[in-house]
């Protein structure tokens, strides 16, 4: 099969790899219908050391089940399914607590001999716990939005949930990437009254307004913080969803939240230390968030996608073929594309 493999910073190649085969009784083989490039894929794209073996890429995909192993009963050949961005058994104690990201029998695509999602097919371990059947046909116009349940919509929702967003809240979303925009959708869905989106790419922030942002702050640093606090009445917002992952955006979050407020971090941190000392403790700020247990949210969010209440698939603004995946990475890294959809 053909698949995208990263060999180092800026070096994504399409190459022939072995076709996926059943290896464990809990496996399924899924033929990919849609996949995409994630913003988190851009961090290794910018910094991954060169390697001679390469790393299969992609962790967001939906497709059709081609084959199942003996212990798989929840899905069958021919089913259209979506896969959360990590696989899980959905039965261990962590999964039972809604922490599928920490599943005792789970793992990540593209590692430990498991295929990446940016390819023609994927061997999915723990298929019963991982794969969720979709009640639409493979040509449904809803597929892009259903694909976001694999990661970005579930991650944006995770940010809103862990930040404690409730009806009437003021919320700041830092970052106008796909996750930030999905966090806007999630905050509105949970009833936030004021949603401030911090970003400076007009096409993206315009989409954010359509998703529910009431205000946009393009300024950064002290100027941006002052503007957010002004919009929130002077003291800051109650909830912050930080969807970038830099030290600067963490500092912005801490300076923009009201005393007693909550910050949820969604962006993969590109730092090891941050300003979380005595000054934060004295303000009673809650710092939370983390990697989304996307599998926990799929059944909750899917009805709103199917009913057209939310349309997170609008974050995909350009489609590439699998052979064009290297171009998709370049386009996203150069900020020419918000989120690249990939077809086989």
């Amino acid at each position: 099969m053909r698949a995208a493999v990263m060999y180092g910073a800026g070096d994504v190649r399409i190459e022939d790899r072995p076709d996926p085969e059943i290896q464990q009784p809990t496996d399924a083989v899924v033929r990919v219908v849609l996949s995409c490039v994630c913003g988190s894929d851009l961090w290794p794209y910018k910094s991954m050391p060169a390697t001679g073996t390469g790393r299969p890429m992609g962790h967001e995909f939906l497709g059709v089940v081609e084959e199942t192993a003996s212990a798989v009963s929840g899905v069958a050949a021919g089913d259209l399914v979506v896969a959360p961005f990590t696989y899980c058994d959905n039965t261990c104690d962590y999964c039972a607590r809604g922490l599928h990201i920490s599943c005792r029998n789970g793992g990540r695509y593209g590692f430990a001999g498991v295929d990446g999602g940016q390819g023609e097919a994927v061997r999915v371990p723990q298929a019963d716990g991982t794969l969720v059947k979709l009640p639409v046909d493979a040509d449904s116009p809803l597929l892009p939005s259903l694909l976001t349940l694999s990661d970005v919509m579930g991650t944006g929702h995770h940010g809103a949930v862990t930040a404690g967003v409730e009806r009437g809240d003021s919320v700041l979303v830092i970052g106008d990437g796909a996750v930030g925009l999905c966090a806007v959708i999630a905050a509105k869905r949970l009833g936030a009254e004021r949603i401030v989106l911090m970003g400076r790419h007009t096409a993206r922030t315009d989409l954010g307004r359509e998703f529910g942002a009431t205000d946009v702050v393009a300024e950064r640093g002290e100027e941006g913080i002052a503007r957010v606090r002004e919009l929130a009445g002077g003291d800051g917002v109650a909830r912050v969803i930080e969807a970038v992952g830099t030290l600067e955006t963490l500092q912005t979050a801490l300076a923009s939240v009201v005393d007693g407020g909550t910050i949820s971090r969604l962006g993969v941190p590109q730092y090891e230390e941050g300003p979380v000392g005595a000054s934060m403790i004295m303000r009673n700020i809650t710092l939370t968030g983390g990697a989304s247990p996307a599998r926990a949210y799929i059944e909750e969010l899917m009805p709103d996608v199917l009913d057209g209440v939310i349309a997170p698939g609008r974050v995909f603004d350009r489609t590439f073929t699998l052979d064009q995946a290297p171009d998709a990475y370049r386009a996203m890294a150069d900020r020419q594309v918000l989120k690249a959809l990939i077809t086989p």
Side-chain angles (χ1 to χ4, degrees):
M1 70 165 183
R2 305 280 282 164
V5 180
M6 185 178 293
Y7 281 86
D11 186 5
V12 175
R13 310 174 195 175
I14 304 302
E15 62 183 31
D16 291 317
R17 296 181 63 82
D19 290 336
E21 297 180 347
I22 298 294
Q23 297 181 19
Q24 300 294 331
T26 57
D27 288 349
V29 174
V30 175
R31 174 176 54 82
V32 175
V33 173
L34 283 181
S35 63
C36 56
V37 179
C38 183
S40 64
D41 292 333
L42 298 183
W43 293 118
Y45 186 71
K46 295 175 182 177
S47 61
M48 178 178 169
T51 172
T53 55
R55 169 181 154 189
M57 294 303 295
H59 52 260
E60 303 161 274
F61 64 95
L62 58 76
V64 176
V65 176
E66 289 200 326
E67 183 182 2
T68 59
S70 59
V72 177
S73 59
V75 295
D79 287 342
L80 183 67
V81 294
V82 63
F85 70 92
T86 59
Y87 55 87
C88 59
D89 61 20
N90 203 24
T91 58
C92 78
D93 53 335
Y94 280 120
C95 290
R97 291 162 52 195
L99 289 173
H100 297 70
I101 193 75
S102 300
C103 177
R104 295 187 185 277
N105 296 301
R108 299 167 61 191
Y109 300 103
F111 294 89
V114 178
D115 307 292
Q118 294 165 10
E120 292 179 320
V122 179
R123 177 179 70 88
V124 179
Q126 303 296 337
D128 268 349
T130 302
L131 300 174
V132 179
K133 288 194 284 189
L134 299 174
V136 298
D137 295 328
D139 59 353
S140 169
L142 292 176
L143 288 196
S145 284
L146 291 167
L147 175 60
T148 68
L149 302 182
S150 179
D151 187 346
V152 288
M153 187 60 227
T155 297
H157 179 67
H158 185 59
V161 168
T162 54
V165 175
E166 297 179 346
R167 186 163 302 281
D169 273 342
S170 60
V171 179
L172 169 64
V173 176
I174 303 176
D176 57 10
V179 169
L181 294 176
C182 287
V184 170
I185 294 174
K188 179 176 175 59
R189 181 177 175 275
L190 293 176
E193 181 175 327
R194 166 156 259 157
I195 304 171
V196 181
L197 174 61
M198 184 169 275
R200 54 173 53 183
H201 302 89
T202 304
R204 300 181 181 193
T205 55
D206 285 351
L207 181 58
R209 288 186 186 276
E210 293 180 36
F211 282 161
T214 56
D215 305 275
V216 169
V217 173
E219 300 87 348
R220 292 184 179 179
E222 293 300 324
E223 188 178 0
I225 293 165
R227 179 60 179 150
V228 170
R229 293 175 72 92
E230 177 187 3
L231 289 168
D235 291 328
V237 295
R239 319 289 177 190
V240 179
I241 302 172
E242 194 280 282
V244 179
T246 66
L247 184 57
E248 178 187 3
T249 51
L250 175 61
Q251 292 168 330
T252 296
L254 287 165
S256 300
V257 71
V258 71
D259 287 11
T262 303
I263 298 168
S264 176
R265 296 188 307 162
L266 297 182
V268 178
Q270 302 305 300
Y271 53 88
E272 293 297 330
E273 296 181 358
V276 293
S279 61
M280 178 181 142
I281 294 296
M282 295 302 292
R283 296 179 60 204
N284 282 282
I285 294 169
T286 298
L287 190 61
T288 182
S292 169
R295 179 63 184 83
Y297 299 131
I298 291 177
E299 283 92 350
E300 176 184 352
L301 296 171
M302 189 187 300
D304 279 1
V305 171
L306 296 173
D307 293 342
V309 176
I310 60 175
R314 295 179 64 193
V315 299
F316 296 110
D317 53 346
R318 187 171 168 188
T319 300
F320 297 80
T321 65
L322 178 58
D323 285 338
Q324 295 172 322
D327 298 326
Y329 274 83
R330 282 191 291 271
M332 284 186 62
D334 293 341
R335 298 295 183 95
Q336 297 172 353
V337 170
L338 168 58
K339 190 165 178 66
L341 193 66
I342 296 179
T343 59

